[in-house]
């Protein structure tokens, strides 16, 4: 009897010693739930929907595609479609982000050379659309040219500039090379294979196959890498034409910056040019990927530099002082509608004949006159205006030296010489008017942080 009673007593004692959590009544239900509502519970996993597809689905879509180049689905191509849409989706997304930078130019170049537009997909497999990528064997650029082949097509290389990284030059060269391979073999798929492994290896594969002339006919006799090369190009051709079916959407596409070309006669630094013109150095480097170390050397002085189109007019209007500040000789513009003129001739022309001004949004005659140190009456007279109405884009002539109430150079009692800025003046032009005076001296004497000056401004020059 004692043992059962002892066990019951002991169990009751232990039960009483167990700590209990705070109790809540039904009325307190909202209070009990409150701590959980303070924090939003989110799933901690990442999921991307990848649509299912079959061989028949892909085959049906391929047959419905409009393409110039031969393209028939097989197991090898299908396996690469699976790879780029399932296993390596990141590569495809990277291509989508870059393609708008180059595809419009590729299309234009292919049309120029009367080639199938599908050839552009070859660059995706060659470089992933990276103009500065280098292979383990030294091939460079969007189309992965070796140095010797690049030189055959006018692309030279030195320590500062590599033309193989120039998108336009390399695409032009690739189009010419592929066109010559097509003339050699009469088949675009075989031409692409030859682009990868060389025409010698393709001829050898044709001989070993018993004289077959198609890519799939010589497939087993080609180098291993080349066997995968053409199917990958065709896989990308299919995928980029069926993005939605595989849940691909461009997330952060990059678009090309519109540009104009300006050629300089001497070496220059992109950093210095950006400083003087308030350009973005990153934009200059993106537009000019062939420049390795942010400068054009003397050996490449005739190189055309791509400038964002929004800044090109400013550079042209301020050509004189800009060249002087860059410590370069005369600049030559490559625009077809721009007359080639030396800096000295341009400066003399501005001094003698004045300058021109293109009306911008928000301009009125009064503000333009004040900005150039002239009167509204003079502006109307020089431009045969019968009223104060002007329109955006209109060109106004502003004559130099017509405001007679301004004495250009004065010397005060203490011997300090000052100069009144005239319409069409720049720091470079002012320095040329006064022997021994440089742009840097003018800026230092007047505590100028930039080269911007305006008519009527008084400058210390000595």
């Amino acid at each position: 009897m004692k043992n059962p009673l002892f066990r019951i007593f002991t169990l009751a004692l232990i039960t009483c010693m167990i700590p209990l959590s705070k109790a809540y009544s039904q009325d307190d239900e909202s209070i009990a739930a409150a701590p959980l509502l303070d924090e939003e519970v989110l799933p901690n996993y990442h999921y991307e929907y990848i649509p299912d597809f079959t061989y028949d689905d892909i085959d049906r879509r391929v047959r419905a595609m409009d393409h110039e180049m031969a393209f028939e689905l097989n197991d090898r191509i299908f396996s690469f479609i699976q790879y780029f849409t399932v296993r390596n989706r990141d590569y495809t997304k990277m291509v989508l982000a870059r393609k708008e930078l180059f595809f419009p130019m590729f299309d234009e170049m292919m049309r120029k050379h009367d080639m199938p537009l599908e050839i552009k997909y070859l660059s995706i497999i060659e470089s992933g659309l990276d103009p500065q990528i280098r292979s383990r064997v030294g091939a460079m650029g969007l189309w992965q040219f070796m140095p010797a082949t690049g030189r055959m097509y006018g692309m030279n290389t030195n320590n500062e500039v590599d033309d193989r990284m120039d998108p336009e030059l390399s695409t032009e060269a690739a189009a010419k090379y592929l066109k010559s391979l097509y003339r050699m073999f009469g088949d675009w798929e075989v031409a692409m294979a030859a682009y990868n492994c060389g025409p010698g290896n393709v001829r050898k594969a044709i001989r070993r196959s018993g004289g077959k002339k198609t890519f799939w006919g010589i497939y087993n006799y080609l180098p291993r890498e080349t066997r995968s090369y053409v199917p990958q190009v065709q896989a990308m051709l299919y995928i980029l034409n069926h993005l939605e079916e595989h849940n691909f959407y461009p997330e952060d596409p990059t678009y090309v910056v519109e540009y104009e070309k300006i050629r300089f006669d001497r070496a220059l630094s992109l950093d210095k040019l950006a400083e003087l013109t308030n350009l973005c150095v990153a934009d200059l480097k993106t537009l000019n990927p062939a420049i390795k170390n942010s400068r054009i050397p003397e050996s490449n002085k005739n190189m055309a530099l791509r400038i964002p189109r929004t800044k090109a007019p400013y550079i042209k209007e301020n050509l004189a002082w800009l060249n002087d500040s860059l410590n370069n000789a005369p600049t030559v513009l490559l625009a077809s509608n721009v007359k080639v003129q030396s800096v000295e001739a341009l400066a003399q022309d501005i001094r003698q004949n004045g300058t021109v001004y293109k009306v911008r949004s928000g301009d009125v005659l009064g503000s333009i006159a004040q900005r150039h140190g002239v009167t509204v009456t003079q502006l109307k007279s020089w431009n045969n205006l019968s009223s104060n109405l002007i329109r955006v884009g209109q060109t106004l002539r502003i004559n130099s030296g017509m405001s007679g109430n301004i004495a250009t150079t004065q010397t005060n009692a203490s011997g300090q010489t000052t100069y009144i800025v005239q319409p069409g003046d720049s720091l470079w032009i002012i320095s040329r008017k006064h022997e021994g005076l440089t742009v840097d001296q003018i800026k230092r004497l007047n505590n100028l942080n930039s080269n911007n000056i305006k008519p009527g401004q008084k400058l210390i020059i000595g």
Side-chain angles (χ1 to χ4, degrees), residues 202-455:
V202 169
R203 290 193 190 96
K204 188 186 299 182
I206 290 173
R207 287 197 303 270
R208 290 178 176 176
S209 70
K212 294 178 181 177
K213 300 293 182 68
T214 66
F215 174 77
W216 298 106
I218 65 174
Y219 176 84
N220 292 325
Y221 305 95
L222 289 167
R224 184 186 299 272
E225 179 184 337
T226 308
R227 295 179 208 170
S228 300
Y229 183 75
V230 174
Q232 287 183 69
V233 174
Q234 292 169 321
M236 275 296 170
L237 166 60
Y238 161 79
I239 293 167
L240 266 67
N241 282 278
H242 296 87
L243 294 172
E244 292 185 10
E245 288 87 342
H246 296 279
N247 195 33
F248 283 115
Y249 297 92
E251 297 175 359
D252 296 302
T254 305
Y255 296 95
V256 68
V257 177
E258 295 295 326
Y259 63 85
E260 291 187 25
K261 291 182 180 179
I262 298 179
R263 188 175 68 239
F264 295 81
D265 279 352
R266 294 291 184 273
L268 67 84
S269 163
L270 295 187
D271 293 324
K272 181 67 173 177
L273 180 62
E275 175 191 340
L276 293 171
T277 58
N278 200 30
L279 275 167
C280 174
V281 176
D283 284 345
L284 282 176
K285 290 181 178 179
T286 298
L287 287 172
N288 299 277
I291 300 175
K292 295 180 183 178
N293 302 311
S294 297
R295 71 176 280 111
I296 297 177
E298 184 69 22
S299 59
N300 292 77
K301 63 183 181 181
N302 293 324
M303 179 180 181
L305 187 65
R306 296 178 180 89
I307 301 293
R309 183 165 292 168
T310 54
K311 278 291 184 179
Y314 174 79
I315 291 176
K316 295 172 188 176
E317 290 170 7
N318 297 276
L319 195 56
W321 69 258
L322 181 59
N323 271 280
D324 183 74
S325 299
L326 286 169
N327 295 317
N328 284 327
T331 297
V332 179
L333 300 180
L334 293 187
S336 59
N337 61 340
V338 178
K339 182 181 178 181
V340 176
Q341 190 175 20
S342 69
V343 173
E344 289 84 354
L346 180 62
Q348 183 67 22
D349 181 61
I350 290 174
R351 285 196 296 268
Q352 292 179 351
N353 304 315
T355 186
V356 294
Y357 177 81
K358 182 172 285 189
V359 178
R360 302 167 185 170
S361 178
D363 278 342
V364 295
L365 284 182
S367 63
I368 297 171
Q370 183 178 14
R371 194 178 306 152
H372 290 85
V374 297
T375 66
V376 172
T377 302
Q378 288 173 325
L379 275 180
K380 293 172 69 175
S381 174
W382 296 333
N383 294 278
N384 297 318
L385 299 177
S386 57
S387 70
N388 291 336
L389 294 177
I390 53 176
R391 65 180 185 278
V392 174
Q394 182 178 352
T395 299
L396 298 177
R397 181 176 184 78
I398 302 172
N399 289 349
S400 179
M402 294 298 290
S403 50
N405 60 326
I406 298 178
T408 57
T409 305
Q410 298 174 343
T411 303
N412 59 23
S414 61
Q416 186 182 70
T417 303
T418 59
Y419 176 82
I420 305 296
V421 177
Q422 302 295 292
D425 272 343
S426 69
L427 291 184
W428 184 87
I429 291 174
I430 296 170
S431 71
R432 299 285 290 191
K433 289 180 180 179
H434 301 86
E435 187 175 354
L437 186 65
T438 67
V439 172
D440 287 337
Q441 286 174 334
I442 299 173
K443 292 174 71 173
R444 188 164 56 250
L445 287 169
N446 294 275
N447 295 320
L448 298 177
N449 296 321
S450 71
N451 293 297
N452 295 328
I453 54 175
K454 60 184 179 180

Side-chain angles (χ1 to χ4, degrees), residues 12 30 50 145 155 185 189 192 212 268 297-298 308 320 325 336 345 433 459:
S30 60
I50 302 176
F145 275 96
M155 294 184 293
F185 297 108
E189 289 180 312
M192 288 193 293
K212 294 178 181 177
L268 67 84
E298 184 69 22
S325 299
S336 59
K433 289 180 180 179
L459 297 175

Side-chain angles (χ1 to χ4, degrees), residues 123-142:
S123 180
I124 295 175
I125 306 306
E126 284 286 356
S127 64
L129 300 182
D130 181 352
Q132 294 182 308
I133 197 168
R134 178 188 178 92
S135 76
R136 65 182 185 279
V137 295
M140 290 290 296
L142 290 171

Side-chain angles (χ1 to χ4, degrees), residues 5-21:
L5 289 175
F6 178 78
R7 284 197 296 272
I8 293 171
F9 176 77
T10 303
L11 181 61
L13 180 63
I14 292 173
T15 303
C16 291
M17 294 175 64
I18 297 175
L20 299 176
S21 60

